[in-house]
């Protein structure tokens, strides 16, 4: 009887480990792809857009660390302005797309911004999880803030991997914004990062 109980207990442990094991291994081996220097600066760029800003995204180009890489989620350094006395901002719809190196659509996400960006009026990292998306080659994360979210920008070590993507025309152009009401446009890195394995 003791042998049977021990064997049954061992089988149960093995079954639990086999269910939990892959997710633990997956978390351990996840890659964080960063195209900025890590010096976060908050600038609300919504006012610097053309009148068609609802169809213009902050876009970042990434190169996976190896072939057959899988995207699991996106991190966005952001700020959501809260109302007086810490009241929630008005609910708005945001969207995010994953596009391949030729800007072909791989995945689109649309939802209210509040479940993802309710960070109490303080800048910080927000995470949007995506279904596992197999990636082969370079890809773009395109985030349409639609005036609901101020996406963080990094002014240091700008590498030219941050863009505006115009959904209407399909054009992509380097990200440049005016800082502190200056008329001069300066290149920036969007602080948008990719997580995968």
């Amino acid at each position: 009887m003791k042998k049977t109980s021990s064997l049954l207990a061992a089988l149960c442990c093995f079954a639990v480990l086999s269910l939990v094991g892959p997710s633990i291994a997956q978390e351990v081996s996840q890659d964080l792809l960063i195209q900025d220097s890590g010096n976060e600066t908050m600038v609300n760029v919504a006012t610097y857009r053309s009148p068609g800003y609802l169809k213009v995204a902050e876009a970042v180009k990434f190169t996976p660390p190896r072939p057959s890489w899988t995207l699991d989620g996106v991190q966005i350094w952001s700020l959501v302005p809260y109302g007086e006395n810490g009241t929630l901002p008005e609910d708005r719809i945001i969207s995010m797309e994953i596009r391949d190196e030729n800007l072909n659509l791989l995945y689109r996400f649309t939802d209210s911004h509040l479940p993802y960006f309710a960070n109490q009026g303080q800048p910080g990292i927000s995470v949007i999880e995506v279904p596992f998306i197999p990636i082969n080659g370079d890809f773009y994360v395109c985030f349409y803030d639609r005036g609901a979210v101020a996406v963080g920008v990094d002014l240091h070590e700008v590498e030219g991997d941050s863009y505006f993507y115009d959904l209407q025309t399909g054009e992509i152009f380097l990200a440049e914004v005016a800082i502190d009401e200056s008329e001069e446009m300066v290149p920036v890195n969007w602080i948008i990062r990719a997580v995968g394995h």
Side-chain angles (χ1 to χ4, degrees):
M1 183 73 167
K2 276 189 177 179
K3 281 187 179 181
T4 306
S5 299
S6 297
L7 182 59
L8 184 58
L11 286 173
C12 287
C13 285
F14 178 74
V16 168
L17 286 175
S18 66
L19 291 174
V20 174
S23 64
I24 291 171
Q26 196 173 47
E27 287 177 14
V28 171
S29 66
Q30 280 198 320
D31 303 299
L32 178 61
L33 306 185
I34 299 176
Q35 294 297 87
D36 58 80
S37 71
N39 295 314
E40 291 90 3
T41 306
M42 290 306 305
V43 176
N44 185 348
V45 298
T47 57
Y48 306 120
R49 301 257 178 74
S50 67
Y53 79 90
L54 291 177
K55 302 226 182 256
V56 175
E58 294 94 352
V60 178
K61 181 181 181 182
F62 295 97
T63 300
R66 60 191 160 274
S68 301
W69 189 77
T70 300
L71 178 68
D72 302 333
V74 172
Q75 295 181 354
I76 301 173
W77 181 268
S78 61
L79 171 68
V80 174
Y82 270 54
E84 293 180 23
N85 303 321
T87 58
L88 278 174
E90 178 184 333
D91 187 22
R92 294 195 183 176
I93 300 299
I94 49 122
S95 186
M96 183 180 73
E97 297 171 338
I98 309 302
R99 293 183 171 271
D100 69 13
E101 58 194 333
N102 298 313
L103 297 173
N104 296 313
L105 183 65
L106 299 175
Y107 173 78
R108 178 177 287 137
F109 160 91
T110 302
D111 200 353
S112 162
H113 78 292
L114 292 176
Y116 308 93
F117 297 97
N119 49 12
Q120 301 299 322
Q122 299 296 319
I125 292 284
S126 297
V127 177
I128 299 176
E129 293 181 356
V130 298
F132 292 169
I133 302 171
I135 303 288
N136 292 301
D138 291 349
F139 67 101
Y140 295 85
V141 172
C142 302
F143 179 69
Y144 300 84
D145 70 62
R146 296 181 173 154
V149 177
V151 175
V153 299
D154 173 18
L155 306 172
H156 310 280
E157 301 173 27
V158 176
E159 296 292 327
D161 291 314
S162 289
Y163 302 90
F164 282 113
Y165 174 70
D166 187 325
L167 180 62
Q168 202 159 7
T169 65
E171 292 179 303
I172 194 161
F173 45 97
L174 285 176
E176 293 183 329
V177 299
I179 305 295
D180 297 328
E181 300 179 13
S182 166
E183 290 187 21
E184 180 187 358
M185 302 296 280
V186 297
V188 296
N189 293 316
W190 301 122
I191 306 178
I192 297 175
R193 299 161 178 173
V195 181
H197 66 279

